[in-house]
Amino acid sequence: MNDLASAAVPGRPLCDVPAARAALRRAAPALAAFAAIRLLGLVVLGVWSTVNGKDWHTLLAARWDALWYTRVAEQGYGFTVRLPHGAVHSDLAFFPLLPSLERGLSAVVPLSPADAGLMVSWLASLAAAWALYATGERLHGHRAGVALAALWAAVPVGIVQSMAYSESLFTALAAWALYAVLTGRWVWAGVLASLAGLTRPVGAAVVAAVWVTAAVTLWRQRTGGVRGRAALRAQPGLLPGVLLAPLGWCGYFLWVAARQGSFTGYLDVQAGWGNGFDGGIAFTAFLGDLLSGPSFAAGLGLLLGVGLVIWLYLRGVRQGQPLPLAVYGGTVLLLALTAKGYFGSKPRLMLPAYPLLLPLAAGLARRHPVRAWLAVGLVAAGSAAYGAFWLNGSGPP
């Protein structure tokens, strides 16, 4: 596996303005490609929705989870729905950073909280694309960075990046946190990991990436004869970064626990939604039912999709993917595949697992540009059509 933070400059500030401007100029093609692919998705969604008599804006900003985030932004926590079959849906299931940004933004600009959520998501998706470009560029060169940002925009569930959901915000925070680890900026990694932990439950994957990388870094220094305080001095900011990383995730978990009067309060809230982790038992049973019934084709497609994402992960590890990316991507994938609940949301749960796309991006970077962009264009068109079909359906993404 590649060095944990190859060519890292420990302690180098993340916000070096001249360097940031130069980095933004290098990233401009990636951001343009990302924006073009997402714009295509929105245009197709608009046409498809009009044909079906639906409003594209409502589909993006005021349905399913977006409604819950907006309610928290407007009224704070405390709303619960009790369904006829006994399920209890509490808004405590939704982490606070996105609704906090919706409330804050709508207070200073003439936007409703729902539209503020859209703006946050759109801006965050661009920030995520920049982080993906920077990561791909660092590991495989400029063309791979552009390809990585474009591929992430063109994944089948890419339309979620344009919704008032938390995936874009989380991916931006997670990707920049991991980039900070790769470049030895431990304090920034801890701060961004903490913010990611305030955004989605899978923020634990970012914490794991920071902690495991820090532990292996210190272990390697120990085996090299550098121990104790000398090891920490060789990695400025490592200890503060490690301590900062879990604060957001643990803080919200403990706040819900105190509010619910139980240390397992957040897990109880998730159970009320029918969510939780069972090691993949429920998902395996769901897949088995599809394969053994009239929906065999759907089950086979799902099985092939799961096999593909696992293969991409293993491919990245074999190619020497840096440890923080491997830990993060593997944890996101594991949590998505072992969660029970609404199985239609599993593709969305894997959306932040951008390291899975690195092998494809590196492969595209080695191809002739015309062939590479033709492949990306075909995938983007398919993603736009699928996203429009998906959001015009009856179930939530």
Side-chain angles (χ1 to χ4, degrees), residues 73-74 99-117 119-120:
E74 293 175 336
S100 297
L101 292 175
E102 289 179 344
R103 181 169 56 250
L105 185 59
S106 64
V108 297
V109 297
L111 289 175
S112 68
D115 286 333
M119 178 174 287
V120 169

Side-chain angles (χ1 to χ4, degrees), residues 6-385:
S6 56
V9 181
R12 179 183 174 188
L14 188 67
C15 295
D16 181 335
V17 175
R21 288 175 178 171
L24 182 57
R25 285 194 295 270
R26 294 197 307 274
L31 298 180
F34 177 87
I37 292 171
R38 294 297 346 119
L39 180 60
L40 173 64
L42 292 176
V43 169
V44 173
L45 174 66
V47 173
W48 198 303
S49 301
T50 300
V51 171
N52 283 274
K54 296 182 178 180
D55 178 39
W56 66 271
H57 178 267
T58 298
L59 294 177
L60 293 176
R63 290 188 73 186
W64 306 304
D65 289 10
L67 288 175
W68 287 86
Y69 284 119
T70 299
R71 184 183 292 273
V72 173
E74 293 175 336
Q75 303 176 19
Y77 285 102
F79 181 73
T80 299
V81 174
R82 298 182 181 274
L83 302 181
H85 62 278
V88 179
H89 291 180
S90 167
D91 58 10
L92 292 172
F94 298 89
F95 276 51
L97 186 57
L98 176 59
S100 297
L101 292 175
E102 289 179 344
R103 181 169 56 250
L105 185 59
S106 64
V108 297
V109 297
L111 289 175
S112 68
D115 286 333
L118 278 182
M119 178 174 287
V120 169
S121 185
W122 291 357
L123 293 176
S125 67
L126 284 170
W130 186 3
L132 267 59
Y133 166 79
T135 302
E137 179 197 39
R138 181 176 185 83
L139 298 178
H140 302 290
H142 171 76
R143 290 185 59 195
V146 175
L148 182 59
L151 286 173
W152 189 64
V155 294
V157 294
I159 190 64
V160 175
Q161 298 161 16
S162 301
M163 298 177 68
Y165 272 37
S166 61
E167 276 76 10
S168 291
L169 178 61
F170 173 79
T171 304
L173 293 168
W176 280 115
L178 297 183
Y179 184 77
V181 174
L182 288 173
T183 54
R185 298 168 170 98
W186 290 102
V187 174
W188 274 107
V191 170
L192 292 167
S194 185
L195 291 173
L198 285 172
T199 308
R200 293 189 60 78
V202 75
V206 191
V207 178
V210 173
W211 278 12
V212 171
T213 306
V216 174
T217 297
L218 294 177
W219 176 77
R220 287 186 176 180
Q221 290 186 329
R222 180 182 178 86
T223 58
V226 182
R227 301 184 179 184
R229 293 182 178 178
L232 292 176
R233 285 196 296 269
Q235 293 290 330
L238 184 146
L239 183 57
V242 166
L243 295 176
L244 285 168
L247 293 184
W249 190 90
C250 290
Y252 186 66
F253 188 98
L254 293 175
W255 181 79
V256 174
R259 188 180 177 105
Q260 297 293 95
S262 168
F263 182 72
T264 61
Y266 186 76
L267 299 179
D268 298 337
V269 168
Q270 287 283 15
W273 282 80
N275 297 329
F277 299 95
D278 61 0
I281 296 174
F283 182 52
T284 301
F286 172 73
L287 182 58
D289 290 340
L290 290 178
L291 292 172
S292 61
S295 300
F296 174 81
L300 182 60
L302 178 58
L303 182 62
L304 291 174
V306 171
L308 174 62
V309 295
I310 294 175
W311 178 83
L312 286 172
Y313 175 71
L314 295 176
R315 177 78 171 174
V317 171
R318 286 197 299 268
Q319 289 180 348
Q321 195 167 97
L323 182 60
L325 297 179
V327 171
Y328 167 78
T331 305
V332 173
L333 184 58
L334 178 66
L335 293 176
L337 294 180
T338 60
K340 59 182 179 178
Y342 180 65
F343 299 113
S345 293
K346 283 194 178 293
R348 174 170 64 86
L349 297 180
M350 287 188 279
L351 182 61
Y354 67 90
L356 300 180
L357 300 173
L358 268 169
L360 297 178
L364 282 174
R366 294 190 295 267
R367 299 293 185 268
H368 189 280
V370 173
R371 293 180 180 178
W373 282 111
L374 179 60
V376 171
L378 290 174
V379 173
S383 172

